[in-house]
Amino acid sequence: MTDAIKIDVWSDIACPWCYIGKRNLEAGLAATAEDDDAPRVEVTFHSFELSPDTPVDFDGDELDFLSSHKGMPREQVQQMLANVTGVAKDAGLDYHFDILKHTNTVKAHELLHFAKAQGRQHEMTERLMAAYFTEGRHVGRVDELVELAAEVGLDADAARAALESGEYLTAVRADQDQARSYGINGVPFFVIDGKYGVSGAQPADAFAQIARQVWAERGAVAVAE
């Protein structure tokens, strides 16, 4: 049997395009599921911090952060957020930047690695992104993260212990080091089978096409052998 295609995704749970890219990837892969020879795919998420210098409790809203941190006029920021909200809606996501709590995401990334060790990385990634972009939850605080971990079936006490000890910080840093070695300086970024790089929240059709292409290449190699 042909091995599954490996898709490694570098993202930040506080990156609006990463959530859109995740949805589009899922839709693209779902479209291939009906193929006679449907590609088998394994998706793994990796840590990337867009704004590692952000405090856990940022004093202000998303407009304040982007206008001060990025040096952008508030009117321009408003237009940008309205645009991404529209694109998100097309992907089936309901963003609420008015209630979003901007925060440091390193602890959220540590939680994702804890969840990965328990076989719940995908569920935890989805829960964190939904909590941040659609529900206005504070994903920088340990107490809130523990609650979210419990919601996807993870042990709350074990999650708290992992976060308070920093047990998975080394794994977060290893992901970031690998991103630098690949030359990744923006997310989302998708690495397919360690040899193809796809940058940005591509449309679902693009993800379906590349999955089919790589799967066909795999099949051709198998026949040749």
mmCIF file of all heavy atoms in Angstrom, residues 114-161:
data_model
loop_
_atom_site.group_PDB
_atom_site.id
_atom_site.type_symbol
_atom_site.label_atom_id
_atom_site.label_comp_id
_atom_site.label_asym_id
_atom_site.label_seq_id
_atom_site.Cartn_x
_atom_site.Cartn_y
_atom_site.Cartn_z
ATOM 1 N N PHE A 114 1.260 19.230 23.665
ATOM 2 C CA PHE A 114 0.714 18.310 24.665
ATOM 3 C C PHE A 114 -0.412 17.490 24.036
ATOM 4 O O PHE A 114 -0.471 16.258 24.197
ATOM 5 C CB PHE A 114 0.193 19.094 25.874
ATOM 6 C CG PHE A 114 -0.623 18.278 26.826
ATOM 7 C CD1 PHE A 114 -0.022 17.385 27.707
ATOM 8 C CD2 PHE A 114 -2.009 18.387 26.846
ATOM 9 C CE1 PHE A 114 -0.780 16.618 28.593
ATOM 10 C CE2 PHE A 114 -2.774 17.636 27.719
ATOM 11 C CZ PHE A 114 -2.161 16.744 28.596
ATOM 12 N N ALA A 115 -1.303 18.169 23.303
ATOM 13 C CA ALA A 115 -2.421 17.489 22.654
ATOM 14 C C ALA A 115 -1.922 16.494 21.606
ATOM 15 O O ALA A 115 -2.485 15.398 21.459
ATOM 16 C CB ALA A 115 -3.357 18.511 22.009
ATOM 17 N N LYS A 116 -0.883 16.863 20.889
ATOM 18 C CA LYS A 116 -0.307 15.959 19.888
ATOM 19 C C LYS A 116 0.170 14.665 20.544
ATOM 20 O O LYS A 116 -0.042 13.565 20.020
ATOM 21 C CB LYS A 116 0.852 16.643 19.172
ATOM 22 C CG LYS A 116 1.526 15.800 18.097
ATOM 23 C CD LYS A 116 2.687 16.550 17.474
ATOM 24 C CE LYS A 116 3.400 15.705 16.419
ATOM 25 N NZ LYS A 116 4.562 16.427 15.831
ATOM 26 N N ALA A 117 0.793 14.783 21.701
ATOM 27 C CA ALA A 117 1.286 13.604 22.418
ATOM 28 C C ALA A 117 0.140 12.702 22.869
ATOM 29 O O ALA A 117 0.338 11.498 23.080
ATOM 30 C CB ALA A 117 2.108 14.041 23.628
ATOM 31 N N GLN A 118 -1.062 13.279 22.981
ATOM 32 C CA GLN A 118 -2.248 12.514 23.387
ATOM 33 C C GLN A 118 -3.110 12.117 22.190
ATOM 34 O O GLN A 118 -4.219 11.602 22.366
ATOM 35 C CB GLN A 118 -3.106 13.346 24.363
ATOM 36 C CG GLN A 118 -2.360 13.988 25.509
ATOM 37 C CD GLN A 118 -1.617 12.995 26.364
ATOM 38 O OE1 GLN A 118 -2.157 11.953 26.709
ATOM 39 N NE2 GLN A 118 -0.372 13.303 26.710
ATOM 40 N N GLY A 119 -2.629 12.399 20.974
ATOM 41 C CA GLY A 119 -3.398 12.054 19.780
ATOM 42 C C GLY A 119 -4.573 12.967 19.517
ATOM 43 O O GLY A 119 -5.513 12.608 18.793
ATOM 44 N N ARG A 120 -4.539 14.202 20.050
ATOM 45 C CA ARG A 120 -5.674 15.141 19.899
ATOM 46 C C ARG A 120 -5.237 16.478 19.305
ATOM 47 O O ARG A 120 -5.881 17.502 19.549
ATOM 48 C CB ARG A 120 -6.336 15.383 21.260
ATOM 49 C CG ARG A 120 -7.019 14.168 21.882
ATOM 50 C CD ARG A 120 -8.278 13.816 21.128
ATOM 51 N NE ARG A 120 -8.940 12.645 21.689
ATOM 52 C CZ ARG A 120 -9.847 12.697 22.652
ATOM 53 N NH1 ARG A 120 -10.195 13.863 23.158
ATOM 54 N NH2 ARG A 120 -10.415 11.592 23.089
ATOM 55 N N GLN A 121 -4.176 16.474 18.520
ATOM 56 C CA GLN A 121 -3.679 17.750 18.003
ATOM 57 C C GLN A 121 -4.691 18.451 17.102
ATOM 58 O O GLN A 121 -4.888 19.668 17.203
ATOM 59 C CB GLN A 121 -2.370 17.543 17.241
ATOM 60 C CG GLN A 121 -1.715 18.861 16.836
ATOM 61 C CD GLN A 121 -0.649 18.708 15.768
ATOM 62 O OE1 GLN A 121 -0.842 18.010 14.781
ATOM 63 N NE2 GLN A 121 0.482 19.355 15.976
ATOM 64 N N HIS A 122 -5.323 17.717 16.220
ATOM 65 C CA HIS A 122 -6.264 18.337 15.284
ATOM 66 C C HIS A 122 -7.448 18.955 16.019
ATOM 67 O O HIS A 122 -7.864 20.079 15.699
ATOM 68 C CB HIS A 122 -6.748 17.313 14.258
ATOM 69 C CG HIS A 122 -5.725 16.977 13.222
ATOM 70 N ND1 HIS A 122 -6.020 16.851 11.882
ATOM 71 C CD2 HIS A 122 -4.391 16.768 13.314
ATOM 72 C CE1 HIS A 122 -4.921 16.562 11.202
ATOM 73 N NE2 HIS A 122 -3.924 16.503 12.061
ATOM 74 N N GLU A 123 -7.987 18.208 16.987
ATOM 75 C CA GLU A 123 -9.114 18.734 17.754
ATOM 76 C C GLU A 123 -8.714 19.988 18.540
ATOM 77 O O GLU A 123 -9.482 20.949 18.614
ATOM 78 C CB GLU A 123 -9.631 17.665 18.723
ATOM 79 C CG GLU A 123 -10.204 16.435 18.049
ATOM 80 C CD GLU A 123 -9.184 15.338 17.799
ATOM 81 O OE1 GLU A 123 -7.974 15.644 17.739
ATOM 82 O OE2 GLU A 123 -9.594 14.179 17.646
ATOM 83 N N MET A 124 -7.502 19.974 19.096
ATOM 84 C CA MET A 124 -7.045 21.108 19.887
ATOM 85 C C MET A 124 -6.774 22.325 19.013
ATOM 86 O O MET A 124 -7.086 23.461 19.397
ATOM 87 C CB MET A 124 -5.772 20.723 20.655
ATOM 88 C CG MET A 124 -5.417 21.666 21.808
ATOM 89 S SD MET A 124 -6.515 21.503 23.248
ATOM 90 C CE MET A 124 -7.532 22.982 23.098
ATOM 91 N N THR A 125 -6.216 22.099 17.830
ATOM 92 C CA THR A 125 -5.971 23.206 16.904
ATOM 93 C C THR A 125 -7.272 23.887 16.525
ATOM 94 O O THR A 125 -7.398 25.118 16.572
ATOM 95 C CB THR A 125 -5.256 22.708 15.631
ATOM 96 O OG1 THR A 125 -4.012 22.108 15.993
ATOM 97 C CG2 THR A 125 -4.988 23.854 14.654
ATOM 98 N N GLU A 126 -8.272 23.094 16.171
ATOM 99 C CA GLU A 126 -9.581 23.634 15.804
ATOM 100 C C GLU A 126 -10.194 24.394 16.976
ATOM 101 O O GLU A 126 -10.729 25.494 16.803
ATOM 102 C CB GLU A 126 -10.500 22.503 15.347
ATOM 103 C CG GLU A 126 -11.923 22.937 15.034
ATOM 104 C CD GLU A 126 -12.030 23.888 13.858
ATOM 105 O OE1 GLU A 126 -11.159 23.829 12.963
ATOM 106 O OE2 GLU A 126 -12.975 24.700 13.840
ATOM 107 N N ARG A 127 -10.109 23.806 18.167
ATOM 108 C CA ARG A 127 -10.744 24.440 19.330
ATOM 109 C C ARG A 127 -10.090 25.773 19.659
ATOM 110 O O ARG A 127 -10.776 26.749 19.993
ATOM 111 C CB ARG A 127 -10.653 23.495 20.548
ATOM 112 C CG ARG A 127 -11.484 24.002 21.736
ATOM 113 C CD ARG A 127 -12.959 23.920 21.411
ATOM 114 N NE ARG A 127 -13.790 24.716 22.329
ATOM 115 C CZ ARG A 127 -14.154 25.978 22.102
ATOM 116 N NH1 ARG A 127 -13.767 26.622 21.012
ATOM 117 N NH2 ARG A 127 -14.938 26.604 22.965
ATOM 118 N N LEU A 128 -8.779 25.839 19.592
ATOM 119 C CA LEU A 128 -8.076 27.083 19.901
ATOM 120 C C LEU A 128 -8.387 28.175 18.891
ATOM 121 O O LEU A 128 -8.615 29.333 19.255
ATOM 122 C CB LEU A 128 -6.565 26.827 19.950
ATOM 123 C CG LEU A 128 -6.040 26.125 21.204
ATOM 124 C CD1 LEU A 128 -4.595 25.681 20.991
ATOM 125 C CD2 LEU A 128 -6.140 27.038 22.424
ATOM 126 N N MET A 129 -8.379 27.820 17.613
ATOM 127 C CA MET A 129 -8.650 28.824 16.581
ATOM 128 C C MET A 129 -10.080 29.345 16.669
ATOM 129 O O MET A 129 -10.324 30.553 16.546
ATOM 130 C CB MET A 129 -8.369 28.251 15.196
ATOM 131 C CG MET A 129 -6.885 28.077 14.901
ATOM 132 S SD MET A 129 -6.592 27.404 13.237
ATOM 133 C CE MET A 129 -4.836 27.823 13.021
ATOM 134 N N ALA A 130 -11.022 28.440 16.908
ATOM 135 C CA ALA A 130 -12.413 28.864 17.056
ATOM 136 C C ALA A 130 -12.575 29.752 18.289
ATOM 137 O O ALA A 130 -13.259 30.783 18.246
ATOM 138 C CB ALA A 130 -13.329 27.645 17.157
ATOM 139 N N ALA A 131 -11.932 29.354 19.378
ATOM 140 C CA ALA A 131 -12.023 30.134 20.617
ATOM 141 C C ALA A 131 -11.490 31.548 20.409
ATOM 142 O O ALA A 131 -12.072 32.527 20.888
ATOM 143 C CB ALA A 131 -11.251 29.435 21.731
ATOM 144 N N TYR A 132 -10.392 31.654 19.682
ATOM 145 C CA TYR A 132 -9.730 32.951 19.489
ATOM 146 C C TYR A 132 -10.499 33.840 18.518
ATOM 147 O O TYR A 132 -10.777 35.008 18.821
ATOM 148 C CB TYR A 132 -8.313 32.710 18.979
ATOM 149 C CG TYR A 132 -7.469 33.960 18.887
ATOM 150 C CD1 TYR A 132 -6.946 34.570 20.025
ATOM 151 C CD2 TYR A 132 -7.167 34.545 17.644
ATOM 152 C CE1 TYR A 132 -6.166 35.709 19.946
ATOM 153 C CE2 TYR A 132 -6.387 35.690 17.557
ATOM 154 C CZ TYR A 132 -5.895 36.270 18.708
ATOM 155 O OH TYR A 132 -5.122 37.399 18.623
ATOM 156 N N PHE A 133 -10.834 33.311 17.348
ATOM 157 C CA PHE A 133 -11.399 34.155 16.294
ATOM 158 C C PHE A 133 -12.909 34.312 16.332
ATOM 159 O O PHE A 133 -13.432 35.313 15.833
ATOM 160 C CB PHE A 133 -10.990 33.622 14.913
ATOM 161 C CG PHE A 133 -9.567 33.935 14.563
ATOM 162 C CD1 PHE A 133 -8.611 32.937 14.541
ATOM 163 C CD2 PHE A 133 -9.163 35.226 14.281
ATOM 164 C CE1 PHE A 133 -7.291 33.217 14.238
ATOM 165 C CE2 PHE A 133 -7.849 35.527 13.979
ATOM 166 C CZ PHE A 133 -6.907 34.522 13.960
ATOM 167 N N THR A 134 -13.620 33.348 16.886
ATOM 168 C CA THR A 134 -15.079 33.439 16.831
ATOM 169 C C THR A 134 -15.745 33.644 18.189
ATOM 170 O O THR A 134 -16.887 34.078 18.244
ATOM 171 C CB THR A 134 -15.679 32.174 16.174
ATOM 172 O OG1 THR A 134 -15.587 31.061 17.079
ATOM 173 C CG2 THR A 134 -14.960 31.830 14.873
ATOM 174 N N GLU A 135 -15.016 33.321 19.279
ATOM 175 C CA GLU A 135 -15.658 33.374 20.600
ATOM 176 C C GLU A 135 -15.065 34.419 21.540
ATOM 177 O O GLU A 135 -15.609 34.651 22.621
ATOM 178 C CB GLU A 135 -15.567 31.999 21.272
ATOM 179 C CG GLU A 135 -16.233 30.886 20.475
ATOM 180 C CD GLU A 135 -15.880 29.517 20.997
ATOM 181 O OE1 GLU A 135 -15.448 29.414 22.168
ATOM 182 O OE2 GLU A 135 -16.002 28.530 20.240
ATOM 183 N N GLY A 136 -13.949 35.022 21.172
ATOM 184 C CA GLY A 136 -13.343 36.030 22.031
ATOM 185 C C GLY A 136 -12.759 35.468 23.308
ATOM 186 O O GLY A 136 -12.650 36.184 24.314
ATOM 187 N N ARG A 137 -12.328 34.200 23.294
ATOM 188 C CA ARG A 137 -11.712 33.601 24.481
ATOM 189 C C ARG A 137 -10.256 34.062 24.595
ATOM 190 O O ARG A 137 -9.609 34.364 23.597
ATOM 191 C CB ARG A 137 -11.758 32.062 24.397
ATOM 192 C CG ARG A 137 -13.155 31.460 24.281
ATOM 193 C CD ARG A 137 -13.865 31.366 25.602
ATOM 194 N NE ARG A 137 -13.294 30.348 26.483
ATOM 195 C CZ ARG A 137 -13.678 29.080 26.510
ATOM 196 N NH1 ARG A 137 -14.625 28.640 25.681
ATOM 197 N NH2 ARG A 137 -13.133 28.235 27.376
ATOM 198 N N HIS A 138 -9.747 34.083 25.827
ATOM 199 C CA HIS A 138 -8.369 34.513 26.082
ATOM 200 C C HIS A 138 -7.471 33.283 26.067
ATOM 201 O O HIS A 138 -7.410 32.539 27.043
ATOM 202 C CB HIS A 138 -8.279 35.225 27.431
ATOM 203 C CG HIS A 138 -7.016 36.015 27.627
ATOM 204 N ND1 HIS A 138 -5.763 35.489 27.387
ATOM 205 C CD2 HIS A 138 -6.805 37.304 28.019
ATOM 206 C CE1 HIS A 138 -4.851 36.400 27.633
ATOM 207 N NE2 HIS A 138 -5.454 37.511 28.022
ATOM 208 N N VAL A 139 -6.757 33.069 24.951
ATOM 209 C CA VAL A 139 -5.983 31.834 24.783
ATOM 210 C C VAL A 139 -4.525 31.993 25.231
ATOM 211 O O VAL A 139 -3.684 31.143 24.935
ATOM 212 C CB VAL A 139 -6.038 31.331 23.326
ATOM 213 C CG1 VAL A 139 -7.471 31.054 22.904
ATOM 214 C CG2 VAL A 139 -5.368 32.326 22.375
ATOM 215 N N GLY A 140 -4.244 33.056 25.979
ATOM 216 C CA GLY A 140 -2.894 33.244 26.492
ATOM 217 C C GLY A 140 -2.745 32.836 27.948
ATOM 218 O O GLY A 140 -1.631 32.684 28.436
ATOM 219 N N ARG A 141 -3.861 32.668 28.627
ATOM 220 C CA ARG A 141 -3.846 32.348 30.051
ATOM 221 C C ARG A 141 -3.982 30.847 30.274
ATOM 222 O O ARG A 141 -4.787 30.177 29.623
ATOM 223 C CB ARG A 141 -4.981 33.075 30.762
ATOM 224 C CG ARG A 141 -4.863 34.593 30.720
ATOM 225 C CD ARG A 141 -6.093 35.248 31.303
ATOM 226 N NE ARG A 141 -6.013 36.706 31.260
ATOM 227 C CZ ARG A 141 -7.061 37.505 31.361
ATOM 228 N NH1 ARG A 141 -8.276 36.985 31.514
ATOM 229 N NH2 ARG A 141 -6.911 38.821 31.317
ATOM 230 N N VAL A 142 -3.221 30.343 31.234
ATOM 231 C CA VAL A 142 -3.214 28.904 31.503
ATOM 232 C C VAL A 142 -4.596 28.400 31.890
ATOM 233 O O VAL A 142 -5.044 27.346 31.402
ATOM 234 C CB VAL A 142 -2.178 28.560 32.599
ATOM 235 C CG1 VAL A 142 -2.348 27.124 33.069
ATOM 236 C CG2 VAL A 142 -0.760 28.786 32.071
ATOM 237 N N ASP A 143 -5.313 29.123 32.740
ATOM 238 C CA ASP A 143 -6.634 28.660 33.180
ATOM 239 C C ASP A 143 -7.575 28.457 31.993
ATOM 240 O O ASP A 143 -8.300 27.455 31.921
ATOM 241 C CB ASP A 143 -7.260 29.651 34.165
ATOM 242 C CG ASP A 143 -6.604 29.603 35.539
ATOM 243 O OD1 ASP A 143 -5.816 28.665 35.787
ATOM 244 O OD2 ASP A 143 -6.870 30.503 36.354
ATOM 245 N N GLU A 144 -7.572 29.413 31.084
ATOM 246 C CA GLU A 144 -8.444 29.328 29.901
ATOM 247 C C GLU A 144 -8.019 28.184 28.996
ATOM 248 O O GLU A 144 -8.849 27.445 28.460
ATOM 249 C CB GLU A 144 -8.406 30.655 29.128
ATOM 250 C CG GLU A 144 -9.487 30.769 28.059
ATOM 251 C CD GLU A 144 -10.766 31.404 28.579
ATOM 252 O OE1 GLU A 144 -10.850 31.664 29.796
ATOM 253 O OE2 GLU A 144 -11.671 31.624 27.782
ATOM 254 N N LEU A 145 -6.719 28.008 28.836
ATOM 255 C CA LEU A 145 -6.212 26.927 27.991
ATOM 256 C C LEU A 145 -6.568 25.563 28.566
ATOM 257 O O LEU A 145 -6.908 24.634 27.826
ATOM 258 C CB LEU A 145 -4.698 27.055 27.827
ATOM 259 C CG LEU A 145 -4.220 28.242 26.983
ATOM 260 C CD1 LEU A 145 -2.704 28.386 27.074
ATOM 261 C CD2 LEU A 145 -4.649 28.090 25.524
ATOM 262 N N VAL A 146 -6.512 25.438 29.878
ATOM 263 C CA VAL A 146 -6.874 24.171 30.525
ATOM 264 C C VAL A 146 -8.351 23.855 30.274
ATOM 265 O O VAL A 146 -8.724 22.708 29.989
ATOM 266 C CB VAL A 146 -6.571 24.223 32.034
ATOM 267 C CG1 VAL A 146 -7.192 23.031 32.759
ATOM 268 C CG2 VAL A 146 -5.060 24.259 32.269
ATOM 269 N N GLU A 147 -9.206 24.874 30.351
ATOM 270 C CA GLU A 147 -10.628 24.673 30.067
ATOM 271 C C GLU A 147 -10.834 24.186 28.635
ATOM 272 O O GLU A 147 -11.624 23.262 28.385
ATOM 273 C CB GLU A 147 -11.406 25.975 30.289
ATOM 274 C CG GLU A 147 -11.572 26.377 31.731
ATOM 275 C CD GLU A 147 -12.402 27.645 31.870
ATOM 276 O OE1 GLU A 147 -13.099 28.005 30.884
ATOM 277 O OE2 GLU A 147 -12.354 28.264 32.945
ATOM 278 N N LEU A 148 -10.137 24.796 27.703
ATOM 279 C CA LEU A 148 -10.270 24.411 26.292
ATOM 280 C C LEU A 148 -9.739 22.999 26.067
ATOM 281 O O LEU A 148 -10.304 22.234 25.270
ATOM 282 C CB LEU A 148 -9.544 25.414 25.402
ATOM 283 C CG LEU A 148 -10.141 26.825 25.368
ATOM 284 C CD1 LEU A 148 -9.202 27.797 24.670
ATOM 285 C CD2 LEU A 148 -11.510 26.805 24.681
ATOM 286 N N ALA A 149 -8.658 22.655 26.758
ATOM 287 C CA ALA A 149 -8.111 21.302 26.649
ATOM 288 C C ALA A 149 -9.139 20.272 27.117
ATOM 289 O O ALA A 149 -9.342 19.230 26.472
ATOM 290 C CB ALA A 149 -6.830 21.184 27.467
ATOM 291 N N ALA A 150 -9.806 20.574 28.224
ATOM 292 C CA ALA A 150 -10.813 19.652 28.755
ATOM 293 C C ALA A 150 -11.975 19.500 27.781
ATOM 294 O O ALA A 150 -12.565 18.412 27.669
ATOM 295 C CB ALA A 150 -11.311 20.152 30.109
ATOM 296 N N GLU A 151 -12.290 20.574 27.064
ATOM 297 C CA GLU A 151 -13.408 20.535 26.119
ATOM 298 C C GLU A 151 -13.167 19.571 24.963
ATOM 299 O O GLU A 151 -14.124 19.106 24.338
ATOM 300 C CB GLU A 151 -13.703 21.940 25.587
ATOM 301 C CG GLU A 151 -14.346 22.853 26.614
ATOM 302 C CD GLU A 151 -14.575 24.259 26.088
ATOM 303 O OE1 GLU A 151 -14.595 24.436 24.847
ATOM 304 O OE2 GLU A 151 -14.734 25.179 26.908
ATOM 305 N N VAL A 152 -11.907 19.283 24.650
ATOM 306 C CA VAL A 152 -11.632 18.328 23.565
ATOM 307 C C VAL A 152 -11.261 16.953 24.121
ATOM 308 O O VAL A 152 -10.764 16.088 23.392
ATOM 309 C CB VAL A 152 -10.532 18.843 22.604
ATOM 310 C CG1 VAL A 152 -10.931 20.155 21.975
ATOM 311 C CG2 VAL A 152 -9.180 18.962 23.297
ATOM 312 N N GLY A 153 -11.501 16.755 25.419
ATOM 313 C CA GLY A 153 -11.313 15.445 26.002
ATOM 314 C C GLY A 153 -9.947 15.180 26.608
ATOM 315 O O GLY A 153 -9.628 14.038 26.947
ATOM 316 N N LEU A 154 -9.135 16.221 26.769
ATOM 317 C CA LEU A 154 -7.827 16.050 27.398
ATOM 318 C C LEU A 154 -7.957 16.181 28.920
ATOM 319 O O LEU A 154 -8.861 16.865 29.416
ATOM 320 C CB LEU A 154 -6.841 17.088 26.862
ATOM 321 C CG LEU A 154 -6.473 16.947 25.382
ATOM 322 C CD1 LEU A 154 -5.727 18.182 24.893
ATOM 323 C CD2 LEU A 154 -5.642 15.694 25.151
ATOM 324 N N ASP A 155 -7.060 15.532 29.633
ATOM 325 C CA ASP A 155 -7.074 15.597 31.080
ATOM 326 C C ASP A 155 -6.646 16.992 31.544
ATOM 327 O O ASP A 155 -5.544 17.446 31.230
ATOM 328 C CB ASP A 155 -6.127 14.540 31.663
ATOM 329 C CG ASP A 155 -6.152 14.538 33.178
ATOM 330 O OD1 ASP A 155 -6.989 13.829 33.746
ATOM 331 O OD2 ASP A 155 -5.324 15.252 33.784
ATOM 332 N N ALA A 156 -7.518 17.671 32.282
ATOM 333 C CA ALA A 156 -7.268 19.051 32.683
ATOM 334 C C ALA A 156 -6.044 19.176 33.588
ATOM 335 O O ALA A 156 -5.221 20.087 33.414
ATOM 336 C CB ALA A 156 -8.502 19.628 33.374
ATOM 337 N N ASP A 157 -5.909 18.280 34.556
ATOM 338 C CA ASP A 157 -4.782 18.352 35.489
ATOM 339 C C ASP A 157 -3.454 18.120 34.759
ATOM 340 O O ASP A 157 -2.465 18.799 35.032
ATOM 341 C CB ASP A 157 -4.951 17.323 36.606
ATOM 342 C CG ASP A 157 -6.094 17.671 37.548
ATOM 343 O OD1 ASP A 157 -6.475 18.867 37.614
ATOM 344 O OD2 ASP A 157 -6.621 16.756 38.212
ATOM 345 N N ALA A 158 -3.457 17.166 33.826
ATOM 346 C CA ALA A 158 -2.234 16.887 33.065
ATOM 347 C C ALA A 158 -1.888 18.056 32.150
ATOM 348 O O ALA A 158 -0.709 18.416 31.990
ATOM 349 C CB ALA A 158 -2.402 15.611 32.246
ATOM 350 N N ALA A 159 -2.909 18.677 31.563
ATOM 351 C CA ALA A 159 -2.681 19.830 30.699
ATOM 352 C C ALA A 159 -2.096 20.986 31.518
ATOM 353 O O ALA A 159 -1.144 21.647 31.083
ATOM 354 C CB ALA A 159 -3.982 20.261 30.034
ATOM 355 N N ARG A 160 -2.662 21.237 32.678
ATOM 356 C CA ARG A 160 -2.159 22.319 33.540
ATOM 357 C C ARG A 160 -0.700 22.064 33.935
ATOM 358 O O ARG A 160 0.144 22.963 33.891
ATOM 359 C CB ARG A 160 -3.027 22.472 34.782
ATOM 360 C CG ARG A 160 -2.567 23.595 35.709
ATOM 361 C CD ARG A 160 -3.469 23.730 36.918
ATOM 362 N NE ARG A 160 -4.820 24.077 36.534
ATOM 363 C CZ ARG A 160 -5.221 25.320 36.256
ATOM 364 N NH1 ARG A 160 -4.337 26.327 36.300
ATOM 365 N NH2 ARG A 160 -6.473 25.557 35.924
ATOM 366 N N ALA A 161 -0.403 20.827 34.320
ATOM 367 C CA ALA A 161 0.965 20.489 34.726
ATOM 368 C C ALA A 161 1.941 20.710 33.582
ATOM 369 O O ALA A 161 3.045 21.233 33.776
ATOM 370 C CB ALA A 161 1.019 19.035 35.200
#
